[in-house]
Structures are given as structure tokens and as C-alpha cells.
Amino acid sequence: MKHLYDPRVKATILSVINQFFEKNPSGVLIATLESLDHKQQGRKLLFNRWYQTSGVVQEIAMHQATISVEDIQLSHLLLIREDNPYYRKVIRAFKEFIELLKQYK
């Protein structure tokens, strides 16, 4: 089965991300993809491809983690500007959050 992707979705999502960081340079975006419909891995791969080809890689870092909680795969991703004054604190908090979630296997 071939999946067709509307290119406007990519443009819209990247536009929202760019506008968010333009207006909130110290902001952080966190997304969680769940696997209830078994499409989370495909969404994650697609978003990763968009991110890598978007040109924001030099400015906005992406951190990811995938865990299983009660037979559900949860993929978490965090987007943060490289020049965010709270960069290290945010990344540390994200990693601690993931470790807490891992306790609920």
C-alpha cells in the first residue's frame, strides 16, 4: 500500500515551528507520538526527514527518546534552539522525564 503525503502538511508544520521559535526564542516544543494506530514509527521517520531537510538543523536541536509503557510505544521529541540560555537545563529535565517514564513499564 502506497502512502501519499500532502506537501502542504510539511510546509504547515515547519511554518508553525519556525514561527514559534521566532516569537519564543527561549521556548521549547515537545511532541509525543503514540502507537495506538500503529503509525507512530512512520510519523517519526517522516518528521525526522522533514527536520533534516528543513534547514533548521543548525539553529534548532532535536532530542528524541522512545519508550514502552503498558504495551504502547511512546516516541517523545523535544525541539529547542541551540542558543537557548536554558539549553542544558532543559535537556537534563527532558532526560530525567524520560527516565521517570521508564519506571512505568
Side-chain angles (χ1 to χ4, degrees), residues 78-90:
L78 176 140
L79 297 172
I80 183 170
R81 286 181 56 112
E82 295 276 353
D83 61 354
N84 186 314
Y86 306 105
Y87 184 89
R88 290 179 190 224
K89 287 182 180 181
V90 170

Side-chain angles (χ1 to χ4, degrees), residues 6-19 50:
D6 184 340
R8 295 175 297 178
V9 173
K10 173 184 177 181
T12 300
I13 290 173
L14 293 177
S15 177
V16 167
I17 291 169
N18 284 325
Q19 288 178 28
W50 291 348

Side-chain angles (χ1 to χ4, degrees), residues 6 10 12 36-37 40 50 60 65 69 72 90 92 98 104:
D6 184 340
K10 173 184 177 181
T12 300
L36 292 176
D37 65 359
Q40 147 266 353
W50 291 348
I60 301 171
V69 176
I72 298 172
V90 170
R92 190 176 327 121
I98 297 302
Y104 294 99

Side-chain angles (χ1 to χ4, degrees):
M1 181 164 89
K2 185 177 180 180
H3 295 281
L4 301 175
Y5 297 104
D6 184 340
R8 295 175 297 178
V9 173
K10 173 184 177 181
T12 300
I13 290 173
L14 293 177
S15 177
V16 167
I17 291 169
N18 284 325
Q19 288 178 28
F20 174 81
F21 283 112
E22 284 175 10
K23 293 179 181 176
N24 306 287
S26 295
V28 176
L29 284 176
I30 297 174
T32 300
L33 307 172
E34 46 76 19
S35 63
L36 292 176
D37 65 359
H38 305 289
K39 296 180 182 179
Q40 147 266 353
Q41 185 63 23
R43 289 185 189 109
K44 180 181 168 187
L45 292 172
L46 184 60
F47 183 81
N48 286 346
R49 188 173 338 124
W50 291 348
Y51 170 77
Q52 291 296 325
T53 61
S54 70
V56 300
V57 175
Q58 293 78 22
E59 299 173 10
I60 301 171
M62 180 168 60
H63 296 266
Q64 301 183 66
T66 300
I67 61 170
S68 295
V69 176
E70 298 180 5
D71 298 327
I72 298 172
Q73 290 283 348
L74 297 171
S75 291
H76 303 279
L77 51 98
L78 176 140
L79 297 172
I80 183 170
R81 286 181 56 112
E82 295 276 353
D83 61 354
N84 186 314
Y86 306 105
Y87 184 89
R88 290 179 190 224
K89 287 182 180 181
V90 170
I91 300 308
R92 190 176 327 121
F94 180 70
K95 290 178 180 178
E96 289 172 4
F97 170 71
I98 297 302
E99 290 305 314
L100 283 173
L101 288 178
K102 287 180 181 179
Q103 295 176 14
Y104 294 99
K105 286 187 173 186

